[in-house]
Amino acid sequence: MSVQTGGRLRHAVDNGGGAGGQAKGAARQARHSRTVDIAARIGLAGRGLIYVLIGVLAVQVAFGLSNAQTNRNGALGEIKDKPFGSAVLVILVIGFLGYAAWRLLEAAVGVQDEDDEKKRTAKRVVSAARGVIYLAIAGSTISFLVSGGGGSGEPAPWTARVMRNDAGRVLVGIVGLVVVGIGIGMIIRGAKRKFEEKLKTGQMSAFARKVAKPAGLVGYIVRGVVFGLAGVFVTKAAIEFDPSEAKGLDGTLKTLAGQAYGQWLLTLCAIGLALFGIYSFFEARYRKL
């Protein structure tokens, strides 16, 4: 085989070859388009707004000022009740869809700054999962906007349906363990400050760095703890064959409120979740996309 022929073959492989290569090239171009960039950043900012509102609601619940849902639906309700609330929800939907599109395109073309093939594959799987999750979040936000309320967003009704037999019970247990793993991953990401790798720190002002870095550290750790506890509750539901033990974000936070020193535990969690929301605003501005 000549050097020239070998070079052509390597070029074809690197570009996916034929129609596949053209499709991958189009996906890569779309991923880096201005439209997807803006929409993804709106999605990150929308995530920030949701978590700040969840934090505010949790503080109100902690001090007996409210019994509102301390989850995404509760936050969406707070937005919808305000002037121009519906318009804000529409913008959030666009942002969530944009973020989902960016993640799915990233899954399709791969992470270009990763040389290790196994790590590249793992990151593509994670990106695909996040894309699907944000598609679901966009769908639930649309449902909330159209219906004026939507569902509770809690997993307990779903676990009740799934846990009608042993196979469903195993599935719920696996989901619980996965959520625990996600929570642990968030804690590690926060403690090791790995989230900073995705920020354009060179473009950040001194003020932005002073706020974003500690907010991300605390926010990721607290969010990981809350997710981990939610996963423990779901796993417990599977082990005890009791769907009522499964709790989402709202149920997990309110369970904390019912413990000794629950008011302060819930307040600390509320502050941490709000800080994650604040960090998300900086990520929306300075994230490497």
Side-chain angles (χ1 to χ4, degrees):
M1 181 185 293
S2 69
V3 173
Q4 185 177 10
T5 302
R8 284 199 300 268
L9 283 174
R10 282 194 297 274
H11 179 75
V13 170
D14 290 340
N15 287 279
Q22 292 178 358
K24 194 170 184 178
R28 185 175 289 111
Q29 185 176 4
R31 177 188 172 227
H32 294 289
S33 70
R34 181 67 173 165
T35 300
V36 171
D37 184 285
I38 292 173
R41 294 186 190 280
I42 293 173
L44 287 168
R47 183 187 71 182
L49 177 59
I50 295 296
Y51 271 95
V52 168
L53 289 175
I54 289 173
V56 171
L57 290 172
V59 169
Q60 292 177 348
V61 170
F63 288 91
L65 302 176
S66 171
N67 195 38
Q69 286 183 306
T70 52
N71 57 11
R72 189 171 63 251
N73 270 14
L76 294 177
E78 286 290 305
I79 296 171
K80 195 173 190 303
D81 290 340
K82 300 295 186 291
F84 305 106
S86 295
V88 173
L89 290 182
V90 171
I91 293 173
L92 286 180
V93 169
I94 294 171
F96 293 149
L97 288 173
Y99 185 85
W102 171 63
R103 282 298 189 182
L104 292 173
L105 287 169
E106 186 175 67
V109 303
V111 181
Q112 302 305 308
D113 60 354
E114 181 58 67
D115 295 327
D116 188 286
E117 188 62 32
K118 289 183 179 179
K119 290 183 178 179
R120 183 193 291 262
T121 300
K123 288 185 176 181
R124 292 179 72 172
V125 171
V126 170
S127 291
R130 287 176 175 170
V132 171
I133 288 171
Y134 269 82
L135 280 178
I137 291 174
S140 67
T141 305
I142 293 172
S143 176
F144 185 95
L145 183 62
V146 172
S147 66
S152 66
E154 297 296 286
W158 293 97
T159 55
R161 295 176 191 175
V162 174
M163 288 174 57
R164 290 175 178 171
N165 52 57
D166 288 337
R169 182 182 180 184
V170 171
L171 177 61
V172 170
I174 293 173
V175 170
L177 292 174
V178 168
V179 174
V180 170
I182 291 172
I184 293 172
M186 289 178 184
I187 294 171
I188 294 172
R189 186 175 181 81
K192 291 188 174 181
R193 304 172 76 106
K194 293 181 72 66
F195 58 88
E196 293 181 20
E197 298 172 2
K198 298 298 184 180
L199 297 177
K200 300 175 183 177
T201 52
Q203 298 180 13
M204 298 172 72
S205 66
F207 172 78
R209 287 194 295 271
K210 286 181 180 178
V211 176
K213 291 182 179 181
L217 187 152
V218 176
Y220 263 108
I221 290 175
V222 172
R223 186 171 174 238
V225 169
V226 174
F227 265 71
L229 287 173
V232 169
F233 288 135
V234 173
T235 305
K236 183 180 178 183
I239 293 172
E240 297 182 358
F241 222 148
D242 183 3
S244 66
E245 289 291 338
K247 307 178 194 301
L249 180 58
D250 179 58
T252 299
L253 291 175
K254 287 179 177 174
T255 298
L256 284 176
Q259 307 303 310
Y261 304 104
Q263 183 183 64
W264 301 109
L265 287 173
L266 183 53
T267 300
L268 289 174
C269 285
I271 293 171
L273 293 174
L275 284 173
F276 181 78
I278 292 170
Y279 162 77
S280 295
F281 291 135
F282 287 101
E283 188 176 7
R285 171 64 179 84
Y286 296 107
R287 167 89 190 203
K288 297 174 186 176
L289 296 181

